[in-house]
Amino acid sequence: LSRKRRLPTGTNYVMDRPVTEVLDDIDLTSYDGFIAASDDDADNFLVATAARDAGQIYVALCLEDESYMRVVDV
């Protein structure tokens, strides 16, 4: 997933709509896992949560601000 940026390889899904709508178009359960690794902690948390809600059980997210960890653990 990216915001208005096309990556040179792989399948690119440009998020020009809310992330939950984008993830509805992707069969996340057909993938081995999902990693949220943008440079924005809030986006990573939102996308990772949406991926879990969409049925993907193997989700990783990158966080810079450790204060988010309390929320993630819950």
Side-chain angles (χ1 to χ4, degrees):
L1 302 172
S2 63
R3 291 192 187 277
K4 299 181 185 176
R5 187 175 73 153
R6 295 260 179 218
L7 302 175
T9 60
T11 304
N12 292 283
Y13 297 97
V14 178
M15 292 185 354
D16 55 354
R17 318 174 267 158
V19 67
T20 52
E21 289 180 16
V22 173
L23 292 180
D24 284 343
D25 293 344
I26 303 170
D27 181 16
L28 287 180
T29 57
S30 68
Y31 292 91
D32 293 330
F34 186 89
I35 300 170
S38 76
D39 58 357
D40 185 288
D41 285 349
D43 275 350
N44 289 343
F45 181 75
L46 174 65
V47 173
T49 302
R52 285 298 300 259
D53 288 347
Q56 179 53 258
I57 59 172
Y58 300 108
V59 176
L61 73 143
C62 298
L63 296 174
E64 289 183 25
D65 185 349
E66 293 179 9
S67 66
Y68 277 106
M69 287 308 297
R70 290 182 298 237
V71 177
V72 172
D73 287 341
V74 172

